[in-house]
Each structure stands twice: as structure tokens, then as C-alpha cells.
Amino acid sequence: MRTTLWLVPVMLLGAAVILFVVTYNVDFHLYNESSTLPSWIRIESADGARQLLSTLAAGVITVLGVVFSVTIVALTLASQQFGPRMLRNFIRDLGTQGTLGTFVATFVYALLTLGSIGGGAGSRTFVPQISVTVALLLVFLNVLVLIYFIHHITVSIQLPVVISSIAGNLSRAIDVQFPVSPRKQQPRVFATGRPAEQLRALLTSEGLAVVANKSGYLQFVGYEQLIQIAAKHDVVLQVIHRPGHFVTHGLPLARVWPPSDAREVTKSLARAHITGAHRTLDQDPVFAIDQLVEIAIRALSPAVNDTFTALTCIDWLADGLCTVSERGLPDGIHRDSAGAIRVIALGPDYRRMVDRAYDKIRQAGVGMPAVAIRLMESLGKVSAYTRTAEQRAVVLRQAKMILRGSETDIDEAEDRFEVRRRYDLLLAELERPGIDTRR
């Protein structure tokens, strides 16, 4: 709903209608009471009020057309420069949605006020004086919004702002999926008295497959709802895809064990997940990593050749991976209130995230000393936040690949020396005992 250009304008349109109803009733009450308003509000002539509102409505709808055209141009530039997957970030921008909505709401309010002029008792013509004054105030508000929009749109299409915005989305997704304070551990009680490893084996060998009812990217999985479904039927569910995976209609989406109650469970599973035409960040932080990587490899392409943009992406990717490295990653085991295992899902994979962040940039930057040096520096930052030997092994693996690539593809000896020097610093960081990741 947020990734639309109509939701916020429709809400503001509804607010404009409500505002008109309120001001119209106040005007009608003052008209019946023959009350006198201050001179700066009083508009005696019905024709003058009609002409004023007609001019306001025409001006507002004209500027609205300009604003919409500028928005389309910005979206076109974003699609060409940053990639088509960046369009959703611009469409969901509240500044653009609010600007469109403000102009639409003012236009509708002016039309409603214009239509209410006329009638009245005797020789007096009803002129909604407060409503006309509010319409003028809304136009002044639109001028301020237009100034904001011009500034906002020129800033939002700048590459550093786009990259930092995506990095902010990545940081928020990490905070949601991997919170600083882990959930309290439930008692280790196993469904039907079996541990997770044995349940996985039973699900693979005896579990009944639940197929996807439509194709698309898995956007959201309602794990709490799945736990309730599994507890109700006393079964164990295995979700074989993680959010961000593409699921195909008719192919397995989950498995149920024991299979005796699988038919009843299958009917409820369709409401516990969402698939769509695109990936989202709700449960898929890797999507933000892929967006930054896409901008980086576009910048490294011969057609663009913008090394500095790629270096900026590498810096923000390292920042996100530093945060991931110091967080405890869940194991994908979900239990009910009694502590029994009810849902087994694909937990987040640290190596997968690191590889997605570095592999394509390393491959696209072959023979570029600046890219190899910055990649090695960023891995040095990530290594300072690693908590386990497995994480350090993943970081070291990437560093070795970068080092081997630099030794074979970089001609200048001084450049190879700089890569080697940063590799040695990374090794020293990884070998330090008791690294404090809370710095």
C-alpha cells in the first residue's frame, strides 16, 4: 500500500472533503444568523467569489500537471541510472505522495466551495466566506509545498542520497530481523519428543509437500500464524523457501509432518504467506544488499565508468555487514508457547549475505586497483565486528579471493602492494583474541 502514488493523495482528498463539510456548515450557520465577519474574511460578491475560486482551481490543476510531469521525469532518470528495481523506492517516497495529494486536495476543495455558492433567503446570495478564505490559505500552503518539492526532488535523485537511503532501509531491516536484544529462549521441549535435526529428517522423508498456489517472489511469511496453525493440528511445518525466493505455482512451498492432518493444514497455509511480482524488505534484508550491489556494478560497467559511486556502495555495504556481524542470527526454529518446535524455516545465512555483498562487485571490478583496495578495507572493518570463527572464516575467504584476483589482474606492483598491505592488516585483526565488537 505504501508503494503507490494514490494512497496518500486519496487520504488527503478525503480530508479535503471533510474540511469542506465543516467550513460549509459554519458558513451556513453564520449566514442564517446574519453574523458579520471581519473585513479581511468578508467577501460580499458571489461573482467575485466564483471568479476567485475558478482562478485558484485552474492554477492549482495546472501546477499539479507540472508536478506530475517532474515526478515522471525523475522516475525515468532513476530507472535509467539506478536500475528499474530502484523505482519502488522513489514511488514510496512520502514527500512526492504528499505533494501530489496536497494539490489534488486543494483543487477538489476549491471545486466544492465553488459549487456551494448561490441560493439563500430573499435577496441575499449565499457566499461561503470562511470556505473561500480557507481555499486561499490552502493555495498559500501549496506554494510552500511546491518549493519543498522542487528541493526534495533535486536532492532525492542524487546518487549519494539514493545510496544512503537504501543503506538506511538495510539498517532498519536488520534491526527488525536481527534485534539487539534477542528473544528470550523458550524451554527446549520438542514436538512429539524429537529434536530439530530428527524433525528435519522426518519432514524430508515422510512429510507431505504443500505446493504454492501461485508464482511470484515470497514477500512475507506469517510465522506466528504458522505456529498457531501447527499447534492447533499438532504438526510440524517446514518452510522450504525464505522471503525473497521465487516460488513457482505447483512446486513445494512447505512440508507437513505427520502427514495425517496435512490436508486440513494446507487450507490454512495460503493465508500465512504473501507472494508478489517483486521482492520487499519486510523480511528480506538481502534485497537492500542486492540494490546497493546493482548500483555498484552499473557504475563499474564500461558504459558508465563511475568508480566513485561503486566505492560509496562498498562503504555502505560494509556498514550493514558490520551491524549483521555483531548481531545474533536466529536459527529459523520457531516454537509455540509451550516451547515445542512447530515451524522450521531457513534461517539467515551469514555467508550468503557476505557473498551477495562482495562477489558481483569483485567480479565486475576485475583489474581495478581502487575497487580491490576498497573491498579489502571494507572487509577489515567487517572483521572487527565478527563474533565467531565461522564469521571470520567467511570474511577471510572473501579476502583471499580479492587478493588472488589482484595478483593476477593488476599490473602495477605498487597497487598490488597496497592490496597486500590491507590484507595483512585484516589478518592481524582476525587473529586478535577477544575482539570487542561493542565498540
Side-chain angles (χ1 to χ4, degrees):
M1 296 296 289
R2 281 193 58 194
T3 315
T4 61
L5 284 176
W6 61 264
L7 179 61
V8 172
V10 167
M11 293 173 63
L12 292 177
L13 178 61
V17 173
I18 295 173
L19 178 62
F20 168 75
V21 171
V22 172
T23 57
Y24 176 81
N25 286 320
V26 173
D27 279 319
F28 201 74
H29 175 74
L30 294 175
Y31 172 80
N32 290 331
E33 297 294 331
S34 299
S35 301
T36 302
L37 295 172
S39 58
W40 60 276
I41 295 180
R42 204 162 52 241
I43 301 176
E44 303 291 349
S45 172
D47 291 336
R50 289 192 185 97
Q51 185 175 2
L52 175 62
L53 290 171
S54 299
T55 303
L56 293 181
V60 168
I61 199 65
T62 301
V63 176
L64 176 62
V66 174
V67 169
F68 186 76
S69 300
V70 172
T71 303
I72 295 300
V73 171
L75 294 179
T76 303
L77 289 174
S79 176
Q80 294 174 351
Q81 188 172 8
F82 311 129
R85 278 156 292 279
M86 305 303 128
L87 281 177
R88 290 179 56 82
N89 294 344
F90 287 90
I91 294 175
R92 68 184 294 164
D93 179 67
L94 291 178
T96 301
Q97 296 175 9
T99 301
L100 293 175
T102 302
F103 280 93
V104 170
T106 303
F107 174 72
V108 171
Y109 183 88
L111 288 184
L112 292 174
T113 306
L114 179 62
S116 67
I117 299 175
S123 60
R124 295 175 58 210
T125 302
F126 174 68
V127 179
Q129 300 180 28
I130 293 180
S131 298
V132 173
T133 304
V134 171
L136 282 171
L137 294 176
L138 288 176
V139 170
F140 284 118
L141 174 63
N142 285 348
V143 173
L144 298 177
V145 171
L146 180 61
I147 295 172
Y148 158 78
F149 177 74
I150 294 173
H151 166 76
H152 176 73
I153 204 69
T154 53
V155 170
S156 63
I157 61 176
Q158 297 178 23
L159 262 173
V161 176
V162 174
I163 295 171
S164 65
S165 175
I166 298 173
N169 293 335
L170 173 60
S171 179
R172 287 187 290 272
I174 292 172
D175 289 337
V176 172
Q177 295 301 313
F178 319 128
V180 176
S181 300
R183 295 180 180 178
K184 185 179 180 180
Q185 289 291 335
Q186 296 286 353
R188 296 187 64 81
V189 179
F190 307 115
T192 65
R194 292 179 171 88
E197 294 75 13
Q198 187 176 357
L199 287 174
R200 283 194 177 95
L202 289 170
L203 283 161
T204 303
S205 60
E206 302 178 11
L208 181 65
V210 178
V211 299
N213 53 10
K214 68 174 183 178
S215 299
Y217 288 99
L218 189 60
Q219 297 176 336
F220 183 83
V221 178
Y223 292 109
E224 296 296 331
Q225 189 174 354
L226 289 178
I227 292 171
Q228 296 174 5
I229 294 171
K232 177 181 178 181
H233 297 280
D234 194 22
V235 297
V236 180
L237 300 175
Q238 182 183 34
V239 182
I240 60 179
H241 292 282
R242 59 166 56 93
H245 283 181
F246 187 86
V247 297
T248 305
H249 171 73
L251 294 183
L253 175 67
R255 294 189 182 94
V256 183
W257 182 88
S260 57
D261 295 327
R263 296 187 183 279
E264 294 296 328
V265 175
T266 302
K267 297 177 182 178
S268 304
L269 281 177
R271 300 189 298 271
H273 70 277
I274 301 173
T275 57
H278 47 76
R279 295 168 63 185
T280 63
L281 279 168
D282 293 331
Q283 295 180 338
D284 183 21
V286 177
F287 181 45
I289 293 177
D290 289 343
Q291 287 181 319
L292 290 172
V293 170
E294 180 178 4
I295 295 176
I297 60 179
R298 279 176 172 267
L300 293 175
S301 64
V304 179
N305 194 23
D306 184 4
T307 307
F308 287 101
T309 295
L311 300 183
T312 303
C313 293
I314 294 171
D315 291 337
W316 284 110
L317 284 167
D319 178 74
L321 290 176
C322 287
T323 305
V324 171
S325 299
E326 65 178 349
R327 303 288 175 88
L329 301 185
D331 57 5
I333 304 297
H334 300 268
R335 306 171 186 272
D336 59 18
S337 57
I341 297 175
R342 291 301 178 186
V343 178
I344 300 177
L346 290 176
D349 189 336
Y350 183 77
R351 174 172 172 173
R352 173 175 176 259
M353 288 186 280
V354 173
D355 289 349
R356 293 288 280 267
Y358 284 92
D359 280 347
K360 292 182 177 63
I361 299 178
R362 173 175 49 79
Q363 295 159 5
V366 170
M368 297 184 178
V371 175
I373 291 171
R374 187 60 63 87
L375 286 174
M376 196 68 79
E377 286 180 346
S378 66
L379 282 173
K381 297 176 182 178
V382 174
S383 66
Y385 283 83
T386 53
R387 304 174 59 183
T388 66
E390 291 77 9
Q391 290 178 339
R392 294 186 177 94
V394 170
V395 172
L396 182 59
R397 173 178 172 271
Q398 277 293 337
K400 288 180 177 179
M401 286 190 288
I402 296 170
L403 180 65
R404 288 195 297 267
S406 66
E407 290 175 346
T408 57
D409 300 318
I410 296 178
D411 297 328
E412 176 57 46
E414 288 294 329
D415 292 334
R416 293 197 301 270
F417 171 77
E418 290 298 324
V419 177
R420 166 66 70 172
R421 184 171 67 84
R422 286 162 176 79
Y423 176 77
D424 293 337
L425 292 174
L426 183 146
L427 285 181
E429 183 69 31
L430 290 177
E431 292 172 358
R432 276 177 51 199
I435 297 176
D436 183 11
T437 62
R438 294 173 296 177
R439 289 177 297 179

